[in-house]
Amino acid sequence: RMLSRCLDSQIRTDATATLGPPADDRSLWWRQDIADGQDLHREEIAFQLVTALRDTCRGLLKSHSISTEQVLSILGEYPWPIFQRLSLFVLSEVDTSPDLARSWLVNKDNFENVHIRHEYNLLMKAAFPSLGETDQRLIIGWANEFDSEETKASLTRWSGNAPTAEELERARVSKSLDRLRHVREHLPSDLQDDLRKWAEEGADLDRPDYAISMSHWVGPTSPQTTEELAALSVEDLVTYL
């Protein structure tokens, strides 16, 4: 609990963190993943507290000093996405009751929440096979949902041109398969065929699924100004990237 309180207090000192709703701790920027993270932010206090909290949870669970339910209860006392990400990460590592994993996976808000997507996918990869067929088909159905008008507006906003029908279809297929590639061995045969075709067209089925990643731009000008990027929500930034 002490580490959880310290992490909560540290996040609240960050002027960019907002309680919302929904709460946003900007952790996608300073903690790319719970397992390791980015070297760029290793010296930051919040980064180190996440590492300490992760390792403490691992140690307590390994020694059976505390139950998985108790760990999740403590982490669940805080509103920040980083605590949800820690919960999902813990569940992805422990061999526990399928009901615990199901309570996180069979939840559309969690499925659509870009702030916790990487850790959600880790748990989905670990626990999808243990879900019943009805739950599996429900998640597949969520992955296949596609708002063409919203996507058209987003692509138009960032490219300056309305997407063609072919580009929209490519976006639809990519969105669906990108969410399902982590459990491809457990999908119906038609979706496995779609994934193989997608890979043949150049998709990397094993690429990292971080919502935000670092890259470099070489050229006389930036494609977007600092002010433009800073003004984006995480959801708009993911769409832009």
Side-chain angles (χ1 to χ4, degrees), residues 13-180:
T13 66
D14 184 348
T16 65
T18 57
L19 273 170
D24 182 6
D25 53 19
R26 309 287 286 179
S27 61
L28 292 180
W29 292 95
W30 51 264
R31 186 75 191 209
Q32 192 177 53
D33 64 56
I34 302 300
D36 187 21
Q38 298 167 300
D39 291 337
L40 182 64
H41 298 283
R42 286 186 185 277
E43 300 306 314
E44 295 185 10
I45 295 175
F47 184 104
Q48 295 183 27
L49 284 169
V50 170
T51 299
L53 186 52
R54 177 203 67 195
D55 291 346
T56 299
C57 291
R58 280 173 165 170
L60 289 172
L61 290 171
K62 186 176 182 179
S63 66
H64 303 290
S65 301
I66 191 172
S67 70
T68 306
E69 290 86 350
Q70 288 173 304
V71 168
L72 297 181
S73 176
I74 293 171
L75 296 176
E77 294 175 3
Y78 302 91
W80 308 109
I82 192 66
F83 287 93
Q84 294 175 280
R85 295 173 61 196
L86 279 160
S87 295
L88 287 161
F89 181 80
V90 165
L91 278 174
S92 73
E93 285 201 328
V94 299
D95 182 16
T96 188
S97 167
D99 289 340
L100 281 177
R102 182 185 182 279
S103 68
W104 283 85
L105 291 178
V106 188
N107 180 312
K108 194 174 185 182
D109 288 338
N110 290 342
F111 180 85
E112 294 181 339
N113 188 346
V114 68
H115 296 272
I116 64 174
R117 181 164 297 171
H118 177 63
E119 284 73 29
Y120 179 98
N121 287 341
L122 288 178
L123 179 58
M124 185 165 72
K125 185 174 183 178
F128 189 83
S130 67
L131 295 177
E133 182 178 350
T134 300
D135 290 335
Q136 290 182 352
R137 291 193 175 278
L138 183 62
I139 291 174
I140 292 171
W142 293 340
N144 286 331
E145 291 179 359
F146 183 71
D147 189 328
S148 60
E149 292 304 315
E150 180 181 336
T151 304
K152 183 187 295 183
S154 296
L155 293 175
T156 302
R157 184 163 60 248
W158 298 118
S159 70
N161 299 302
T164 65
E166 181 180 353
E167 288 170 335
L168 273 177
E169 175 61 13
R170 191 181 306 123
R172 183 193 68 77
V173 171
S174 297
K175 172 188 173 295
S176 173
L177 297 182
D178 190 54
R179 294 307 307 271
L180 297 175

Side-chain angles (χ1 to χ4, degrees), residues 168-232:
L168 273 177
E169 175 61 13
R170 191 181 306 123
R172 183 193 68 77
V173 171
S174 297
K175 172 188 173 295
S176 173
L177 297 182
D178 190 54
R179 294 307 307 271
L180 297 175
R181 61 190 171 93
H182 304 284
V183 293
R184 53 187 179 271
E185 299 89 350
H186 309 288
L187 296 173
S189 58
D190 59 328
L191 286 174
Q192 292 190 28
D193 291 341
D194 288 345
L195 279 162
R196 279 192 289 269
K197 181 180 179 182
W198 195 42
E200 289 169 0
E201 293 173 350
D204 182 359
L205 301 186
D206 296 310
R207 68 173 178 81
D209 61 355
Y210 306 126
I212 294 175
S213 58
M214 300 297 178
S215 61
H216 300 279
W217 169 264
V218 178
T221 59
S222 170
Q224 295 288 332
T225 67
T226 302
E227 291 76 15
E228 288 171 329
L229 291 174
L232 297 179

